[in-house]
Amino acid sequence: GPCAVLVDPPGERSLVTNLAAANHFKATHLADAAQASVIEKAKYYYMAGFFLTVSLESIETIGRHAVEQKKLVMMNLSAPFIVQFFWDQLNAAMPYVDIMFGNESEAEAFGEKMGWGTDIAVIAQGISALPKASGFRGRTVIITQGKDATIVAKDGEVMTFPVTVLPKEKLVDTNGAGDAFVGGFMSQLIKGEPLAKCVDAGHWASTVIIQESGCTYPAECTYA
């Protein structure tokens, strides 16, 4: 569906969306032979929290497959309203999530819902400790905070990863910053790189995209 992006002079953005066909996705689509083949071959699965508003059944289908085959599921909290108004769906999907991404406002909404307060490190650790469907892998929770340090909770430990602050005059458009972080993170995750390298790549990708207008990148990737 279409999405209108409104960017104010400082480079911050708001979105006006129409989900259109995406709002009619059914779990039966996953049973199609072509889709089933893609699911079977994949080793990693990523989904936005927005999909919780459409087809929880589809998420649970992927989740059960991932648990059975010991594959990895990643999700993004996506927006505070997902926590506030689709809590039951989020709770149903959570046991299947191995890596949860979010930003500080989404984490704060989660903390408010659970009565954990507003400390991002405490909230991240709390999300990490929620029950999982698989017993072979703990949940990693990654909370970005714009120019402030990224918080990661994993295996009972909370880590912080500083962000190199971009000079304000270089900021063009924050649209896509969170998705770029996830993309950068996953680019290293699937290569088997350590957590610190994954976060570093996420920071790099976010820094690149906020210097561009819209969700665009330079022709050449210079990350090493």
Side-chain angles (χ1 to χ4, degrees):
C3 177
V5 182
L6 311 178
V7 183
D8 65 14
E12 297 295 334
R13 58 92 179 109
S14 294
L15 308 178
V16 181
T17 62
N18 174 19
L19 296 179
N23 218 23
H24 299 277
F25 192 100
K26 305 295 183 185
T28 51
H29 179 63
L30 302 180
D32 175 82
Q35 310 311 321
S37 176
V38 171
I39 293 168
E40 183 63 36
K41 292 176 182 177
K43 297 179 181 178
Y44 302 88
Y45 305 94
Y46 172 75
M47 56 199 79
F50 294 126
F51 195 53
L52 289 165
T53 71
V54 177
S55 181
L56 173 62
E57 185 182 355
S58 297
I59 293 173
E60 291 177 319
T61 297
I62 296 294
R64 286 191 296 268
H65 170 78
V67 169
E68 291 168 2
Q69 301 297 320
K70 296 187 177 181
K71 298 178 179 181
L72 195 143
V73 174
M74 294 168 278
M75 180 177 281
N76 199 316
L77 287 171
S78 295
F81 82 83
I82 296 296
V83 177
Q84 295 162 341
F85 302 111
F86 294 89
W87 182 248
D88 290 343
Q89 294 91 324
L90 178 58
N91 266 331
M94 186 65 74
Y96 302 110
V97 179
D98 298 300
I99 300 179
M100 178 65 84
F101 298 93
N103 63 30
E104 71 274 31
S105 61
E106 294 151 8
E108 287 171 359
F110 208 111
E112 181 179 357
K113 196 77 173 180
M114 295 295 288
W116 291 339
T118 58
D119 187 305
I120 301 299
V122 171
I123 296 168
Q125 194 163 27
I127 298 173
S128 179
L130 290 173
K132 287 188 86 266
S134 69
F136 51 82
R137 184 189 295 119
R139 180 182 297 109
T140 299
V141 177
I142 301 156
I143 306 297
T144 58
Q145 304 184 95
K147 63 182 176 58
D148 295 325
T150 294
I151 304 294
V152 178
K154 180 181 181 181
D155 298 330
E157 179 184 1
V158 176
M159 297 159 274
T160 59
F161 295 87
V163 173
T164 301
V165 179
L166 183 73
K168 192 172 183 179
E169 62 272 15
K170 291 188 176 183
L171 175 62
V172 175
D173 179 3
T174 60
N175 190 44
D179 293 320
F181 175 90
V182 172
F185 184 100
M186 289 194 294
S187 75
Q188 303 305 302
L189 176 72
I190 63 176
K191 292 167 63 177
E193 296 291 349
L195 177 62
K197 181 72 170 176
C198 296
V199 174
D200 180 70
H203 286 166
W204 178 87
S206 293
T207 300
V208 169
I209 203 169
I210 63 176
Q211 296 180 72
E212 304 287 330
S213 180
C215 297
T216 58
Y217 277 98
E220 183 180 351
C221 176
T222 59
Y223 183 76

